[in-house]
Amino acid sequence: MTTNLSLRGEGLAKQKPVFLDVLANIWDPVLNPTGVVNLGLAENTLMHTELKQFMNSKQFSPHIPLHPSHVTVTSGVSNALECTAWGLFDEGDHLLVSRPYFNAFRTSFSTRAGVGLLEVKLGEIDAFSFAAVEHYEEALLSARKEGITVKALLLCSPHNPLGRCYSEDVLREYMRLCGKYNLHLISDEIYALSVWESPDLPEATSFKSVLSIDTAGLMDQSMDFGATGLRIGCLISQSNQRLLEAADGISLLNFPSSAADSVATSLLADDEFTTEYMRTNRLRLAESYKFVTAFLKRHEIPYSQCNATFFLWIRLGAVVKDPNTTDDEILAKLRNLKVYIAAGYAYASEERGWFRLVFAHPRPVLEEGLQRIAQALEL
Ligand SMILES: Cc1ncc(COP(=O)(O)O)c(C=O)c1O
C-alpha cells in the first residue's frame, strides 16, 4: 500500500496533534483497559461510536467494517474535501472531474489549496456509462503529455447536479482506471440517503457506496469519501491512515462545533427516528419531482431524468422565444420576477441554456416559483 501524500500533506501529517492519539485510545475499564485516561481535554469529540454504527448500517454496507480509526470528522463535506486537497496534492497538481460538476468543488480544491480541476468533457455521452470512463482516461493522457500532474479522480455519487448514481460495475471501472494510473479516488457521497423512486426511471441504478466494493485487483486501496449532516462531514479512508493524519494536522481548523456534534450524535443514535426520517424524505422528494416534472412536460422544457438528490437539470434555453437569448439574459428575466435558480455555466455545463432547479421545497413554494418562471419566460 502506498500513501502517496503530497509534500505538504506529509508536512501536515507530522503535525498531527498528540492529543488525537489520546482521543483514539481512551481508557475503558472493559473495552480498553490499557488506554489513556483523558483528564486533559475539555472537548467531547465522541461522535465516532455513533458514526461507526451508522456507517456500518445497511446505508453504506462497507466491505471492510468501519472502525473509528478510518474516519476523521470535519465541519462539513466541503471541509473534508479540502482536507484531501491539502493532504494528497501539492499546489498546481490536478484532479479529474467530468462536466457538469458541483460548482463549490472549485472552492474546496482550488481557492485555498491551489489544486486544479481538470475538466473532462463528455459531449453526448451518458455521465454514468462505461464510455464516460474512457473520456477520463483520454483527458488524463493528454494532460500528462502537457506535463500536468494528475493525482486523483473525483466522483460525486449520487451526482450534483445530475441527480443519478453510478452503478457498481461503472464504479469498478473507475477503480480499475485509478489502479492503472496510480490515482486516488475521491468519492463525494453526500447525497447517499437522498435516492428515491423516480417515475421517469423505474429501473434506475440505486446508490452504491465505494466503501462497499472490494477493491482487490482493481486499485491500490486509497479511497476517500464524504458524507454529511448538519455541517458535519466525514473523511473516510480504510487504507491511507497517513491521509487522515494529514487532515488531523489541521484539525483545529476543521472540527465541527460542539453544537453540531451533539445534534448529529442524538440524530444518528436514534434508529427509529432516522429510519422514518429517511423514508419520509424519499417519499417527499419523489412527490416534488413528480410535481415539478409535470410542469416541465406541460411547458416542453427538456430535463435530465433522475432518481437521486434534489436537483433538476433543466434546459430553459430550449423554450425561450428568441433562441439567441443568453443564459444571463434568462437569469435577468427570472430575477425581474424575483425567482432565482442557478445557471448551468456555474457548474461547467458543456452546453448553454441549462439551469439547476432545486425541487426540495413545499408545494406552495414550488407552485409560486414555477408560475414565476413561466411568466418570466412567457411560456
Ligand atoms: C456534492 C456536494 N458536496 C459537498 C457539499 C457541501 O457540503 P457541506 O455543507 O457539508 O460542506 C454539497 C452541498 O451542497 C454538495 O452538493
Side-chain angles (χ1 to χ4, degrees):
M1 182 194 65
T2 56
T3 57
N4 224 352
L5 289 201
S6 56
L7 285 176
R8 65 186 182 189
E10 285 295 350
L12 295 177
K14 287 188 195 125
Q15 294 175 54
K16 177 184 169 181
V18 177
F19 71 81
L20 292 184
D21 290 336
V22 173
L23 289 181
N25 186 27
I26 293 288
W27 176 82
D28 181 281
V30 180
L31 299 175
N32 194 18
T34 58
V36 183
V37 180
N38 177 24
L39 300 180
L41 194 77
E43 178 109 18
N44 175 1
T45 56
L46 300 178
M47 273 293 289
H48 286 175
T49 311
E50 287 75 13
L51 276 168
K52 185 180 164 191
Q53 280 165 4
F54 182 68
M55 294 294 188
N56 281 320
S57 73
K58 66 184 183 307
Q59 309 300 335
F60 294 90
S61 316
H63 176 69
I64 303 168
L66 270 178
H67 182 269
S69 67
H70 301 145
V71 184
T72 287
V73 180
T74 61
S75 64
V77 170
S78 313
N79 195 226
L81 295 173
E82 201 195 43
C83 287
T84 69
W86 292 112
L88 299 177
F89 304 80
D90 283 304
E91 189 156 6
D93 291 344
H94 281 69
L95 60 71
L96 290 162
V97 62
S98 66
R99 298 170 63 175
Y101 57 82
F102 173 48
N103 52 352
F105 284 153
R106 277 182 225 126
T107 318
S108 293
F109 287 98
S110 307
T111 305
R112 296 196 295 196
V115 176
L117 302 192
L118 194 67
E119 299 178 345
V120 180
K121 280 193 190 174
L122 296 179
E124 295 294 302
I125 302 235
D126 176 12
F128 303 90
S129 66
F130 283 104
V133 188
E134 289 166 23
H135 281 245
Y136 276 79
E137 185 164 15
E138 281 161 22
L140 171 69
L141 293 176
S142 64
R144 283 195 171 171
K145 258 193 219 134
E146 289 172 38
I148 295 172
T149 304
V150 181
K151 286 268 186 74
L153 190 156
L154 172 64
L155 294 180
C156 183
S157 180
H159 193 278
N160 176 1
L162 296 178
R164 284 171 56 205
C165 307
Y166 293 89
S167 71
E168 177 168 356
D169 288 343
V170 168
L171 287 173
R172 283 178 183 284
E173 206 53 32
Y174 278 110
M175 288 176 175
R176 201 167 284 125
L177 186 71
C178 288
K180 185 168 169 189
Y181 294 103
N182 200 19
L183 301 176
H184 296 275
L185 177 63
I186 302 171
S187 179
D188 177 343
E189 301 189 351
I190 191 169
Y191 297 110
L193 306 181
S194 298
V195 183
W196 31 272
E197 277 185 36
S198 171
D200 280 333
L201 300 169
E203 305 291 317
T205 304
S206 61
F207 170 69
K208 188 91 190 156
S209 171
V210 290
L211 288 173
S212 68
I213 298 175
D214 180 2
T215 57
L218 295 173
M219 65 184 292
D220 180 22
Q221 277 193 36
S222 174
M223 255 176 341
D224 320 306
F225 158 100
T228 193
L230 299 168
R231 213 61 194 159
I232 283 208
C234 300
L235 176 61
I236 299 177
S237 179
Q238 297 192 301
S239 56
N240 198 344
Q241 194 61 35
R242 200 79 180 137
L243 169 63
L244 298 182
E245 284 168 15
D248 287 343
I250 41 175
S251 55
L252 187 62
L253 310 170
N254 304 330
F255 282 146
S257 73
S258 308
D261 182 332
S262 76
V263 172
T265 304
S266 50
L267 280 179
L268 295 182
D270 188 341
D271 278 347
E272 217 173 297
F273 174 81
T274 48
T275 306
E276 185 51 26
Y277 182 92
M278 289 184 303
R279 197 185 68 83
T280 309
N281 181 42
R282 288 180 171 131
L283 286 176
R284 287 189 187 165
L285 289 175
E287 273 301 304
S288 278
Y289 176 84
K290 249 188 265 172
F291 179 73
V292 174
T293 53
F295 165 89
L296 298 174
K297 284 179 195 144
R298 215 162 43 244
H299 292 286
E300 299 182 345
I301 300 170
Y303 66 94
S304 184
Q305 298 176 328
C306 67
N307 68 314
T309 74
F310 36 79
F311 308 117
L312 264 162
W313 190 238
I314 66 177
R315 189 145 178 245
L316 293 179
V319 291
V320 279
K321 296 273 172 299
D322 174 2
N324 294 321
T325 314
T326 66
D327 292 354
D328 281 332
E329 284 164 348
I330 293 176
L331 284 180
K333 283 175 192 286
L334 298 175
R335 204 164 33 236
N336 273 343
L337 286 198
K338 295 197 172 158
V339 53
Y340 171 73
I341 56 174
Y345 62 69
Y347 299 80
S349 171
E350 287 183 45
E351 211 182 354
R352 63 179 201 81
W354 289 92
F355 293 80
R356 194 193 74 168
L357 182 149
V358 175
F359 62 83
H361 295 297
R363 188 66 65 89
V365 177
L366 292 177
E367 274 169 359
E368 183 65 28
L370 296 176
Q371 186 263 327
R372 287 184 190 201
I373 290 175
Q375 199 183 338
L377 303 182
E378 300 167 67
L379 301 180

